[in-house]
Amino acid sequence: MKGVPEGELNKLRALLKGARRAVFFGGAGVSTESGIPDFRSQDGLYRQKYKYPPERILSRTFFEEHTEEFYEFYREKMLALDAQPNEAHKKLAQWEREGKLSAVITQNIDGLHQKAGSREVLELHGSIWRNRCMRCGRSFPVQRIAEGTGVPRCPCGGIVKPDVVLYEEPLDEAVLERSVAFLRAADLLIIGGTSLNVYPAAGLVDFFGGENVVVINRGAPAADVRGALFLDAKIGEVFSAL
Ligand code: NAD
């Protein structure tokens, strides 16, 4: 593969060969090759011209104070309903089927791991595919938000809110606990497509107690992952070369 030394690919191949309980921890960079922009890349959402940075728009305060503007941004930038899994999503699903990988822990909300066939997917930040009325709790398909305009409403009058964790909102305890359990039991940790900037999610990787850590990312992540084999490359390209 162009750009990644064969020696590093071989080390990764060897680690995967011996793995029985690998865990993958990923972020928005896993889905850029499916056409969904991340936050911090060159063509990520931070470089695009908005009145506010994406993290402000995707915060609970903004949601409550500028609900209509929130949905405008959300419909345009976060709802990628036609996006398809790329090689990274597909390989992870394959490794789970083959008994090498026990879980995917993702910060993504796009549902592409499940579309690729992964079963054990821990969605730290929720999913665009689940939506509920904030007043009566009724569930709605994503089309309720995608196909409407303005603020989506339930027949009871409540606002229909996506089941995604906004900035300032807590992460789901059960998802966190399961993630920690998988990380503690893991024999290999592969971190990919994440700047490791968003906490508490990024801090989870510290629960991995094993020796073998691989980071596949374009550019070094914000947090220093000690002892990791680092591949500075596109994750879909790396995975398709394995
Ligand atoms: P981030 O934008 O902070 O970082 C993404 C990282 O991935 C960057 O370091 C970038 O260089 C790298 N990257 C981009 N494309 C890559 C590729 N093809 N191969 C390897 N590396 C690649 O994203 P984050 O760390 O996930 O944090 C941002 C937050 O916003 C998270 O909660 C994230 O899930 C959410 N978000 C989700 C989506 C989605 O669901 N697809 C999209 C945008 C943001």
Side-chain angles (χ1 to χ4, degrees):
M1 200 202 116
K2 190 169 55 146
V4 180
E6 197 56 31
E8 285 171 2
L9 281 176
N10 280 337
K11 280 187 202 161
L12 180 50
R13 287 187 185 109
L15 289 173
L16 273 165
K17 199 163 175 218
R20 294 291 169 269
R21 295 178 307 281
V23 166
F24 179 79
F25 181 92
V30 175
S31 294
T32 53
E33 288 164 84
S34 295
I36 305 178
D38 63 4
F39 280 175
R40 293 175 182 83
S41 287
Q42 204 57 41
D43 44 4
L45 294 178
Y46 268 120
R47 315 276 170 136
Q48 301 180 15
K49 297 280 167 268
Y50 284 102
K51 242 160 80 189
Y52 311 97
E55 273 160 4
R56 168 106 188 271
I57 304 177
L58 296 172
S59 71
R60 181 72 190 206
T61 305
F62 194 91
F63 175 82
E64 283 170 5
E65 291 176 358
H66 310 269
T67 317
E68 208 161 323
E69 235 174 315
F70 169 90
Y71 279 107
E72 219 173 277
F73 176 87
Y74 183 80
R75 282 194 185 95
E76 196 187 324
K77 292 295 164 192
M78 307 309 289
L79 288 185
L81 303 187
D82 296 330
Q84 293 304 319
N86 62 51
E87 275 313 305
H89 302 101
K90 289 180 195 165
K91 270 283 156 70
L92 289 164
Q94 180 191 322
W95 293 335
E96 185 183 23
R97 282 194 299 275
E98 291 171 355
K100 293 176 174 305
L101 182 120
S102 57
V104 168
I105 304 173
T106 182
Q107 299 164 84
N108 292 350
I109 57 175
D110 54 34
L112 288 184
H113 287 293
Q114 290 92 333
K115 248 191 204 174
S118 282
R119 280 162 303 191
E120 196 63 76
V121 183
L122 294 137
E123 295 175 309
L124 295 170
H125 295 158
S127 171
I128 58 167
W129 296 96
R130 296 187 296 271
N131 300 277
R132 260 178 297 154
C133 170
M134 293 174 80
R135 186 185 290 172
C136 72
R138 180 170 158 188
S139 293
F140 290 93
V142 68
Q143 285 72 21
R144 183 74 176 203
I145 293 182
E147 288 163 10
T149 53
V151 178
R153 296 269 175 190
C154 173
C156 84
I159 295 174
V160 178
K161 180 182 176 288
D163 190 7
V164 301
V165 179
L166 300 177
Y167 290 92
E168 299 163 7
E169 289 181 336
L171 271 58
D172 184 295
E173 276 297 322
V175 176
L176 275 176
E177 277 169 26
R178 281 174 62 71
S179 302
V180 169
F182 276 114
L183 283 162
R184 286 209 163 115
D187 55 9
L188 169 65
L189 172 61
I190 306 173
I191 300 171
T194 172
S195 64
L196 293 177
N197 258 304
V198 179
Y199 283 81
L204 275 177
V205 299
D206 293 337
F207 286 96
F208 175 64
E211 283 174 15
N212 299 318
V213 186
V214 182
V215 175
I216 305 161
N217 205 63
R218 293 181 74 191
D224 181 30
V225 187
R226 252 173 298 130
L229 169 68
F230 177 45
L231 283 77
D232 187 348
K234 286 190 176 180
I235 190 161
E237 290 184 7
V238 172
F239 279 14
S240 49
L242 295 173

